[in-house]
Amino acid sequence: LVKAHRDMSGGDVWKLRCELVGHEQDIRSICMTTDGCIVTCSRDKSVRKWSKVSERQYENSAVLLGHEHFVACVAEVPPCKMHPQGAVVSGGYDRTMSGQTIVKPVINIWEGDTIVGTLEGHTLTVCGLTISPSGQLVSVSWDKTARVWDLESRSCVSVLNGHEQAVWAAICFEDGSILTGSADKTIKRWKGNVCEHTYTGHSDCVRALAHFPGVGFASAGNDCSIRLWALSGDCLMVLNGHQSFVYSLAVFPSGDIVSSSEDKTCKVWRDGNCVATLPHTGSVWSVCTLPDGDIGTACADGIARLFSRDTSRFADADVLAAYDASLASQAIAAQEVGGVKMSELPGMEALETPGTKDGATKIVRVDEKAYAYSWNSGESKWDQIGVVVDGPAGGGGDGGQVMMDGRTYDRIFDIEVDEGVTLKLGYNYGQNPYAVAQEFIWNNDLPQDHLEQIAQFIDKNANQGVTLGAETRPTRGADPLTGAHDAMYESQKPAKETFVTFASEVHIPRKAMIFFEL
């Protein structure tokens, strides 16, 4: 087992190629089709196709409307007997009929902009899709199962039961075996519907899987690490560098690994070292690799982006400058970086010292403001990535934080999950409300249907009681994933009613902090 912490002294120079603007909320998944189109899906209930206009421009060539709730994942069905021109599959939460209050998760099959088939069977969100070498569709879900579908008969031919928590990712191999990664911290290898092996090593939810040529596969998750495995079960390498949940992985034919994270970055890894860090203005939900060697990312700011290391495909200078300015101007709460004492910060002269690794971060003081910089090893320079500001007031103890279960939080809240049963919920400023709500549900074995309602409450920081399971009217407020206003959510009614009372203001914690060089 090799633990890789060191970055290469010199790295790749990646720059923005173009932005794909059109979605109205955060983009949850991105993939590329065999005909050269980019496909994205979003919480705005749409799937979009993007066609290449020039080396530095893609246009929105189709908007696929049919989902009635947010779309969580998307994948391509390559040209085959059933779909000679290929197809797109998308999954998420959906209503079966407009106006009904019962929400069903479905998988839609698209040819062009038309739904030609709908697959039903999962009982909770469909959060991942992949196509096997034999042409079968494999879906994974929060209902703790993976399903294998025959696309010709539109039927489920196998259900993979065995995980104890939500299944987040799957990949398929030529021999017919399937790997699944789960919130129960394990990866399972299946032959038919029989589990042949369980891989253990991650200390938290497994969110992503990817083939690794000639070796086996890579995995990543909420423990912030990336692991390289042999199919035999040996963990060959652990890559550490992300500061929060790792949501997605992709691997180039060369073996370079691309990862995306809640820490607002996409990283490129080679031979166990991080060779590039691509900063974003929001959580990066998904990544894909392109045949020309470029990278596609899906971001919580509602924009998909392509990045290249080919200078001929770099965006125009004014576009690059505008993107750099948007990165530099984003606010970073002091609590999010562990607190900042202005009097102890170095001045700009600190940036004369090179960073120790790609993505290393340093805070410097200019007059009465603090600025965050990230080391760009490819260009051997410090890039400004944000302005450090005071976070919201509240909490307790030194620096406004309080302790619970050996961890410090900005806020602690009492949550009554049943009559007379109260649980503590801790939150740190800057957290993704959905990530916090999901962790709380898993840790306390609460019904998954409560996710939306808990996340809404966290986002609104309401100082009032809420009854989970009760019918509620859609509410509008700041989208917890994009920060955009005018977002709408709807609670789902679970089979068993559970009463949850938020006794005080709410907020919740990220599993890792951003560490800065001072």
Side-chain angles (χ1 to χ4, degrees):
L1 173 66
V2 178
K3 289 190 176 181
H5 298 274
R6 179 179 58 86
D7 288 35
M8 297 178 68
S9 57
D12 293 348
V13 177
W14 289 83
K15 288 187 179 295
L16 180 69
R17 174 178 174 179
C18 62
E19 293 185 326
L20 282 53
V21 180
H23 282 293
E24 297 176 0
Q25 295 191 40
D26 60 307
I27 303 175
R28 299 305 299 266
S29 184
I30 184 171
C31 71
M32 188 165 194
T33 61
T34 52
D35 62 359
C37 289
I38 303 291
V39 181
T40 56
C41 69
S42 168
R43 275 175 44 87
D44 66 9
K45 307 177 186 179
S46 76
V47 176
R48 291 175 181 256
K49 287 186 177 181
W50 309 82
S51 299
K52 184 177 177 180
V53 176
S54 67
E55 288 296 334
R56 293 180 289 180
Q57 183 183 359
Y58 277 71
E59 66 177 6
N60 190 183
S61 54
V63 180
L64 283 52
L65 300 176
H67 285 278
E68 295 188 48
H69 207 56
F70 68 81
V71 192
C73 53
V74 67
E76 183 205 17
V77 179
C80 58
K81 178 180 178 181
M82 187 67 182
H83 302 284
Q85 304 303 315
V88 169
V89 286
S90 57
Y93 258 118
D94 268 67
R95 299 179 186 181
T96 54
M97 290 179 60
S98 179
Q100 284 189 322
T101 57
I102 297 175
V103 178
K104 286 187 178 181
V106 301
I107 301 166
N108 284 331
I109 305 171
W110 307 80
E111 288 186 351
D113 57 2
T114 303
I115 296 176
V116 296
T118 297
L119 308 178
E120 295 187 12
H122 284 294
T123 58
L124 290 173
T125 294
V126 179
C127 51
L129 297 167
T130 189
I131 302 296
S132 74
S134 65
Q136 292 181 314
L137 172 66
V138 178
S139 60
V140 294
S141 168
W142 291 354
D143 65 12
K144 307 179 186 179
T145 72
R147 286 177 175 260
V148 182
W149 306 83
D150 178 76
L151 291 176
E152 289 192 22
S153 63
R154 305 280 197 258
S155 63
C156 178
V157 297
S158 183
V159 180
L160 310 184
N161 282 298
H163 283 293
E164 297 177 358
Q165 293 290 349
V167 185
W168 279 101
I171 53 175
C172 306
F173 290 85
E174 291 287 348
D175 65 358
S177 62
I178 299 171
L179 290 184
T180 54
S182 168
D184 64 13
K185 309 176 187 178
T186 71
I187 300 162
K188 292 183 180 292
R189 185 176 74 236
W190 307 82
K191 200 64 178 291
N193 58 0
V194 176
C195 178
E196 292 188 326
H197 186 79
T198 298
Y199 304 79
T200 59
H202 281 285
S203 60
D204 207 332
C205 167
V206 180
R207 299 291 291 264
L209 297 170
H211 295 96
F212 193 91
V215 177
F217 67 95
S219 65
N222 286 8
D223 61 6
C224 312
S225 74
I226 300 165
R227 289 175 175 260
L228 180 61
W229 304 82
L231 283 175
S232 62
D234 295 326
C235 182
L236 307 175
M237 184 178 293
V238 179
L239 309 178
N240 292 303
H242 280 294
Q243 307 300 326
S244 192
F245 306 155
V246 183
Y247 291 134
S248 179
L249 293 174
V251 180
F252 283 108
S254 64
D256 285 3
I257 298 173
V258 185
S259 58
S260 70
S261 171
E262 170 72 15
D263 66 12
K264 302 181 181 180
T265 70
C266 168
K267 290 181 178 287
V268 182
W269 307 81
R270 182 179 305 133
D271 299 328
N273 303 299
C274 179
V275 295
T277 299
L278 311 179
H280 288 64
T281 55
S283 304
V284 188
W285 286 111
S286 178
V287 293
C288 70
T289 56
L290 279 59
D292 59 13
D294 287 357
I295 294 171
T297 64
C299 189
D301 62 8
I303 299 175
R305 296 178 175 87
L306 303 186
F307 293 87
S308 182
R309 51 188 166 182
D310 184 332
T311 57
S312 68
R313 292 197 292 269
F314 287 176
D316 292 337
D318 58 338
V319 176
L320 292 175
Y323 185 57
D324 288 343
S326 68
L327 293 172
S329 64
Q330 63 179 330
I332 302 175
Q335 289 92 337
E336 186 178 341
V337 297
V340 173
K341 291 185 178 180
M342 191 70 69
S343 61
E344 298 179 1
L345 293 178
M348 291 292 288
E349 67 278 1
L351 301 182
E352 297 175 3
T353 303
T356 57
K357 60 181 181 178
D358 191 90
T361 315
K362 182 176 290 188
I363 300 178
V364 299
R365 176 172 52 84
V366 179
D367 296 327
E368 296 304 315
K369 290 186 178 182
Y371 295 90
Y373 284 81
S374 177
W375 178 247
N376 181 335
S377 63
E379 299 182 73
S380 298
K381 68 184 182 72
W382 290 96
D383 293 328
Q384 185 179 328
I385 60 171
V387 181
V388 181
V389 298
D390 289 335
D398 294 339
Q401 293 193 319
V402 291
M403 183 76 70
M404 182 178 74
D405 297 330
R407 298 165 65 182
T408 56
Y409 299 96
D410 293 319
R411 296 288 179 87
I412 301 292
F413 303 95
D414 291 323
I415 299 182
E416 186 177 343
V417 297
D418 213 335
E419 188 172 354
V421 179
T422 300
L423 301 176
K424 298 287 186 181
L425 180 64
Y427 176 80
N428 287 323
Y429 298 117
Q431 271 307 100
N432 181 327
Y434 272 75
V436 170
Q438 184 64 76
E439 183 179 11
F440 181 74
I441 285 172
W442 285 331
N443 289 343
N444 296 286
D445 199 26
L446 296 174
Q448 183 66 44
D449 285 351
H450 293 341
L451 177 68
E452 286 282 346
Q453 200 168 0
I454 293 175
Q456 287 178 53
F457 182 83
I458 293 170
D459 179 52
K460 293 190 295 183
N461 199 20
N463 190 20
Q464 59 186 3
V466 175
T467 300
L468 291 186
E471 296 280 357
T472 61
R473 297 181 63 184
T475 58
R476 292 181 180 267
D479 189 305
L481 296 177
T482 66
H485 290 277
D486 213 30
M488 292 190 68
Y489 308 100
E490 300 171 71
S491 60
Q492 290 80 47
K493 186 174 182 179
K496 176 183 176 182
E497 289 207 344
T498 301
F499 298 91
V500 178
T501 301
F502 297 85
S504 59
E505 288 187 302
V506 56
H507 280 311
I508 309 182
R510 179 173 296 178
K511 283 240 168 179
M513 297 181 68
I514 301 175
F515 293 95
F516 287 78
E517 296 182 355
L518 297 176

